[in-house]
Amino acid sequence: MKRKVSQQKSQPKWKRKLFVLLLLGICFVSLLLMQTQYSRITGLTSLQHQFIAGPKIAFLFIARNRIPLETVWDAFFRGGDGKFSIFVHSRPGFLFNRATTKSDYFLDRQVNNSIQVDWGEATMIEAERILIRNALTDPLNDRFVFLSDSCIPLYNFSYTYDYIMSTATSFVDSFADTKEGRYNPKMAPVIPVPNWRKGSQWAVLTRKHAEVVVNDETVFPMFQRYCKKKPLPEFWRDQHIPADTSKVHNCIPDEHYVQTLLALKGLEGEITRRSVTHTSWDLSSSKDRERRGWHPVTYKFSDATPMLIKFIKEIDNIYYETEYRREWCSSKGKPSACFLFARKFTRPAALRLLNMSVLGVSS
């Protein structure tokens, strides 16, 4: 009799254990289902965010060290709404941290495989290729804008984005270079004379054309070997003095490379053959005729006026003497200003313009 009672008492304990085990199993399965659902929602949200953000513009800065005009760019990028990315090529080892930049947009935006860049050398176009290579890792980057550390934006982000994305073409300043002394005959037959082009290095490339640049393994080596700047007279004492200096080639790689490469690939029909970055070339400051026009005008504090910006913004056409071609600027099929950016501005000049609110960089 006692044995029966103990069996009856032990039965509820067994049931309770089974109930607890079943409850734990249900909880575990529920957690798994919740986690799976959360992952789906997170994934959909991420995709939705990418869809909303749309294609991005990669802003590719070539800088010595810091970005001296970062305050202006910080105001510009505030209206970006996730539609941009930033990459900076500075000297090797330079880092954008709290000690070197006050803008969150530039934190850790340096490329970590940078090289030492010298003006008038092929290292400049190698820096461009490094920037593009890094920017292409983001599949949403659809346009690639080259900028110097002395560039300023003339309009707000929304206007700039719409202007660049409204056309399927790249913006590449490109024209036939008919002056003697730039083209080196040793480049033939890889680079024939009819495909030799000149223009500004401050281009805007589509993703297709950016991939053409980084995948190039034939034209770039020719530039490294045969496209070199003319040695300045003050340095002739340190090297062999040419018998006839007039026949020395003065080839500046970054003024020819992208233009010539796209011409060789038969892609000129896919580019708008002008730059969207304004540069003023000083043709009279040097006493040496051969040096006139080698470097652009630098705008200082006293130069930074509303009239200057108004003048740049009102430029609506560009004339190319070597091709007798006038490029009338348009956007979305309508006449428009030619330039979205301008250089070269000192930090005091850029800050003065920002304080005057004449740049229109804020949304």
Side-chain angles (χ1 to χ4, degrees):
M1 189 74 178
K2 289 181 180 179
R3 198 185 322 174
K4 290 182 180 179
V5 172
S6 68
Q7 286 178 352
Q8 288 175 357
K9 286 183 178 180
S10 63
Q11 194 170 12
K13 290 183 180 179
W14 177 81
K15 287 183 178 180
R16 283 198 296 270
K17 288 181 180 179
L18 179 62
F19 176 75
V20 170
L21 288 173
L22 287 172
L23 186 62
L24 288 172
I26 292 170
C27 290
F28 179 73
V29 172
S30 298
L31 284 171
L32 285 177
L33 290 172
M34 288 174 65
Q35 186 175 7
T36 303
Q37 189 69 11
Y38 176 78
S39 299
R40 284 181 181 176
I41 293 171
T42 304
L44 288 171
T45 303
S46 176
L47 288 172
Q48 186 180 16
H49 173 72
Q50 291 181 8
F51 177 76
I52 293 173
K56 297 193 297 186
I57 297 177
F59 291 85
L60 313 179
F61 290 86
I62 297 179
R64 296 170 183 83
N65 295 302
R66 306 185 184 204
I67 301 295
L69 311 185
E70 63 181 2
T71 303
V72 177
W73 286 104
D74 190 273
F76 173 79
F77 286 127
R78 284 176 201 166
D81 194 28
K83 294 181 180 179
F84 68 92
S85 56
I86 299 170
F87 298 85
V88 186
H89 185 287
S90 287
R91 63 173 173 79
F94 186 85
L95 302 176
F96 281 88
N97 51 36
R98 292 295 179 185
T100 57
T101 181
K102 295 180 181 179
S103 172
D104 289 342
Y105 294 114
F106 289 99
L107 282 174
D108 301 318
R109 298 318 304 157
Q110 75 281 343
V111 295
N112 296 319
N113 55 341
S114 63
I115 60 172
Q116 185 61 46
V117 174
D118 295 308
W119 178 82
E121 300 291 342
T123 50
M124 182 66 80
I125 52 179
E126 178 58 16
E128 294 177 357
R129 285 156 56 92
I130 290 171
L131 281 167
I132 295 175
R133 206 171 285 121
N134 279 269
L136 281 171
T137 59
D138 185 342
L140 289 181
N141 285 334
D142 197 61
R143 296 292 190 279
F144 304 79
V145 181
F146 287 112
L147 297 161
S148 76
D149 56 9
S150 65
C151 279
I152 60 170
L154 298 172
Y155 301 93
N156 63 27
F157 184 90
S158 178
Y159 179 88
T160 303
Y161 182 90
D162 290 343
Y163 191 112
I164 291 174
M165 301 301 296
S166 66
T167 176
T169 66
S170 293
F171 289 93
V172 182
D173 186 42
S174 177
F175 54 90
D177 182 20
T178 57
K179 293 182 180 179
E180 295 182 2
R182 289 285 187 135
Y183 176 79
N184 190 333
K186 293 181 180 179
M187 293 180 175
V190 176
I191 305 175
V193 176
N195 295 120
W196 184 246
R197 298 287 184 271
K198 187 178 184 295
S200 168
Q201 76 177 103
W202 311 113
V204 178
L205 299 180
T206 62
R207 190 173 182 92
K208 174 184 175 179
H209 295 163
E211 290 173 344
V212 169
V213 172
V214 297
N215 291 330
D216 168 39
E217 295 181 353
T218 55
V219 177
F220 179 62
M222 291 291 103
F223 273 80
Q224 285 180 305
R225 187 176 302 176
Y226 299 118
C227 185
K228 299 180 183 296
K229 68 177 183 290
K230 185 176 182 178
L232 298 176
E234 57 263 37
F235 298 120
W236 286 350
R237 62 178 178 271
D238 299 325
Q239 53 191 278
H240 174 68
I241 301 176
D244 184 358
T245 58
S246 65
K247 294 183 178 180
V248 177
H249 297 285
N250 185 33
C251 184
I252 312 300
D254 55 77
E255 294 180 356
H256 297 273
Y257 174 64
V258 172
Q259 294 85 349
T260 300
L261 175 64
L262 295 179
L264 280 168
K265 297 293 183 179
L267 298 173
E268 286 189 302
E270 299 178 8
I271 68 175
T272 299
R273 294 176 63 188
R274 63 178 176 87
S275 176
V276 292
T277 298
H278 178 267
T279 304
S280 179
W281 295 93
D282 188 355
L283 303 179
S284 60
S285 63
S286 177
K287 294 180 181 179
D288 185 349
R289 284 188 60 195
E290 291 188 355
R291 291 205 202 177
R292 292 178 185 174
W294 276 27
H295 295 287
V297 172
T298 296
Y299 296 109
K300 300 178 182 179
F301 181 86
S302 59
D303 303 313
T305 64
M307 291 77 76
L308 172 64
I309 299 303
K310 183 175 183 291
F311 167 76
I312 296 173
K313 285 185 173 183
E314 288 181 349
I315 297 173
D316 61 0
N317 72 91
I318 305 168
Y319 182 68
Y320 294 92
E321 293 181 4
T322 61
E323 298 179 346
Y324 306 102
R325 169 172 62 94
R326 187 174 297 278
E327 191 77 30
W328 290 94
C329 302
S330 64
S331 176
K332 299 181 180 179
K334 298 179 180 179
S336 70
C338 292
F339 301 112
L340 300 174
F341 314 101
R343 60 188 296 266
K344 301 174 58 173
F345 286 82
T346 62
R347 188 171 184 274
L351 291 178
R352 186 185 190 192
L353 292 170
L354 182 64
N355 292 332
M356 288 178 177
S357 300
V358 297
L359 296 179
V361 295
S362 300
S363 298

